[in-house]
């Protein structure tokens, strides 16, 4: 306070209030952006986990029915009397249910090693229009035969 002034300053000025509001607004917008990114990446992680569950389920079914050929085209309807056909139908149905109609799955066999690939659109997390993500599981389904010397 100046020596010649009779009144003391009381309260805050309008400029101080506006600066405080600006700082608060920037902070809240930053927190909202962080929250939106967290939701986006959580959904992407959930999709990857679901693809993992589907692939491991199919690999377990292949191991349980090791004599069947799982590299054939999946049937369009289930068949409870043929385990392989029902397994492949369940595989494709699970993929479509989790990833939508554009999601795909494939099973390949190369020298007793099965490779299960599941591909789906993850455009929301990738911030692109294509945004294809894949989960690949490779495993040997049968024990190697014992070689005799």
């Amino acid at each position: 306070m100046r020596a010649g002034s009779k009144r003391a300053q009381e309260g805050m000025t309008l400029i101080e209030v506006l600066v405080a509001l600006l700082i608060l607004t920037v902070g809240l917008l930053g927190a909202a952006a962080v929250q939106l990114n967290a939701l986006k990446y959580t959904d992407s992680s959930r999709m990857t986990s679901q693809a993992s569950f589907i692939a491991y389920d199919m690999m377990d079914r292949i191991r349980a029915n090791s004599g069947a050929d799982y590299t054939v085209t999946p049937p369009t309807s289930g068949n409870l009397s043929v385990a392989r056909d029902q397994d492949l139908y369940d595989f494709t149905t699970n993929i479509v249910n989790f990833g939508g109609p554009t999601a795909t799955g494939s099973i390949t066999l190369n020298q007793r090693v099965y490779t299960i690939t599941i591909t789906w659109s993850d455009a929301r997390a990738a911030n692109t229009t294509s945004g294809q993500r894949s989960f690949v599981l490779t495993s040997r389904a049968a024990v190697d035969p014992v070689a005799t010397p």
Side-chain angles (χ1 to χ4, degrees):
M1 189 160 103
R2 289 186 277 170
S5 173
K6 293 183 181 181
R7 284 182 40 197
Q9 181 181 358
E10 295 178 12
M12 296 175 23
T13 65
L14 185 59
I15 293 175
E16 291 171 332
V17 171
L18 290 176
V19 169
L21 276 174
L22 177 68
I23 292 171
L24 179 66
T25 303
V26 169
L28 289 176
L29 286 175
V34 168
Q35 184 67 25
L36 287 175
N37 280 336
L39 288 173
K40 183 170 50 172
Y41 295 127
T42 299
D43 185 56
S44 179
S45 175
R46 181 191 57 81
M47 296 283 282
T48 303
S49 295
Q50 189 65 32
S52 167
F53 295 149
I54 293 169
Y56 277 100
D57 174 59
M58 191 64 207
M59 186 58 71
D60 289 341
R61 291 177 186 219
I62 291 171
R63 286 189 182 115
N65 192 12
S66 62
D69 179 17
Y70 280 87
T71 61
V72 299
T73 303
T76 57
S77 63
N79 183 0
L80 293 175
S81 61
V82 180
R84 180 201 65 190
D85 291 348
Q86 186 63 41
D87 291 346
L88 289 172
Y89 175 73
D90 290 344
F91 177 64
T92 55
T93 303
N94 288 339
I95 290 172
V96 169
N97 287 340
F98 113 90
T102 59
T104 60
S106 66
I107 301 171
T108 59
L109 176 64
N110 185 13
Q111 297 177 353
R112 292 190 308 260
V113 175
Y114 279 92
T115 301
I116 299 174
T117 305
I118 300 174
T119 305
W120 69 95
S121 173
D122 199 13
R124 198 170 97 180
N127 289 333
T128 63
T129 55
S130 65
Q132 292 291 322
R133 296 264 325 252
S134 292
F135 180 83
V136 179
L137 173 65
T138 303
S139 180
R140 185 175 306 269
V143 178
D144 288 333
V146 178
T148 56

